[in-house]
Amino acid sequence: METKSLVGHADDNTFESAVLKTDRPTLVDFWATWCGPCRALAPILEEIGKEYNGRTNVIKVNVDESPKTAANYGIRSIPTLLFIREGKVRETLVGLTTAGNLAEFIDRNLPG
């Protein structure tokens, strides 16, 4: 039995409602299908989605399908992770990372 993914997706049309207007802090992963490090990060994001379910959203944005959103956030290399809270970028993490580093990244950006 397959479990439902706790990682969502947004694009140029849904980014505002899925990320900026939500009342929950959001970890945003800018990625692309052709990016090896992005594919390596995907299972880590699934784990983070489970671990932080209810406390933070995890949203993936494909840079090839959402060029406007990627440009708005100055995405120059992928994977790039943004932690967005109350509509503002709190911190940015560029490149492949470990689950432990990602958990620390989220913990230091969650509200008090």
Side-chain angles (χ1 to χ4, degrees):
M1 185 173 148
E2 191 171 322
T3 58
K4 183 182 178 314
S5 174
L6 294 170
V7 176
H9 296 269
D11 59 28
D12 285 346
N13 297 319
T14 60
F15 188 83
E16 187 174 353
S17 61
V19 176
L20 301 179
K21 298 230 163 132
T22 181
D23 57 357
R24 189 175 289 163
T26 305
L27 178 69
V28 181
D29 171 36
F30 285 91
W31 72 289
T33 55
W34 48 264
C35 165
C38 299
R39 288 194 306 270
L41 187 60
I44 296 171
L45 290 172
E46 289 288 341
E47 285 305 309
I48 290 292
K50 288 179 194 137
E51 188 177 331
Y52 287 88
N53 187 20
R55 293 187 289 158
T56 188
N57 295 334
V58 180
I59 300 287
K60 294 173 71 78
V61 176
N62 184 316
V63 295
D64 292 332
E65 296 170 2
S66 305
K68 190 174 125 213
T69 302
N72 285 349
Y73 286 92
I75 304 304
R76 299 272 178 264
S77 119
I78 53 174
T80 293
L81 297 160
L82 303 181
F83 194 88
I84 297 178
R85 194 173 88 220
E86 297 163 351
K88 295 181 180 65
V89 176
R90 302 298 171 158
E91 193 173 348
T92 302
L93 186 64
V94 178
L96 182 58
T97 189
T98 65
N101 285 345
L102 196 47
E104 288 174 19
F105 175 79
I106 293 168
D107 289 342
R108 70 175 167 259
N109 286 290
L110 283 173

